[in-house]
Amino acid sequence: MLEALARDLHAGAPADLTRAARRAQALAFAALAAPGVPLGLLYLLTRPAPLAPAWVAALALLGAALALLPLRLSRRAARDPAGPPARAALTAALQAAAAPAVPFLLGCACLAQPAAVLSLWSVAALAFALARAGVPGWVREASLRRG
């Protein structure tokens, strides 16, 4: 996967750069989210007290709010005029990987409550889709700022 990422990155065409940025984004998300499930399972062994539905909703809103911040920062990174377009697009994609990671990790802390996991992982899936959909626009913005 890393060889394909490097090949696409060095090709230079917008479609190749988009593929490279999406691969980098997926790798960054995996690196951020990987510790969540084993740690959540360990926490599950402590038999945590269930959260009230209001707290589950508050956690989902917090996860959504914390997912929006990296998406906003990613758009700003893509507009940075310093450096080559490939670096700006990759920086944006890597920053966006944190967007779904935050609600995913919050969901891992709530493995004892299926409703909380479902709501938080739904927010994470939506944030992942938004981050992935944003990559072509960030590549375009990065290329236009320098073209």
Side-chain angles (χ1 to χ4, degrees):
M1 184 169 186
L2 291 177
E3 288 177 14
L5 182 126
R7 186 177 51 250
D8 286 340
L9 188 58
H10 293 296
D16 296 325
L17 186 54
T18 300
R19 263 194 314 277
R22 282 184 170 160
R23 283 187 176 121
Q25 188 178 57
L27 283 171
F29 171 72
L32 290 169
V37 174
L39 290 174
L41 289 172
L42 282 174
Y43 181 60
L44 185 61
L45 292 175
T46 67
R47 299 179 192 243
L51 296 173
W55 282 106
V56 171
L59 264 181
L61 286 174
L62 177 66
L66 291 175
L68 290 175
L69 183 62
L71 292 175
R72 182 180 169 143
L73 292 174
S74 296
R75 188 166 185 205
R76 184 180 295 171
R79 293 179 176 176
D80 184 16
R87 182 173 64 187
L90 278 179
T91 300
L94 291 172
Q95 286 180 352
V102 172
F104 179 82
L105 292 171
L106 286 172
C108 289
C110 298
L111 286 177
Q113 269 186 279
V117 173
L118 179 65
S119 65
L120 287 161
W121 285 2
S122 296
V123 171
L126 179 61
F128 189 85
L130 287 173
R132 186 165 174 82
V135 170
W138 298 329
V139 169
R140 194 171 31 259
E141 283 184 34
S143 298
L144 290 176
R145 297 291 265 174
R146 287 150 193 85

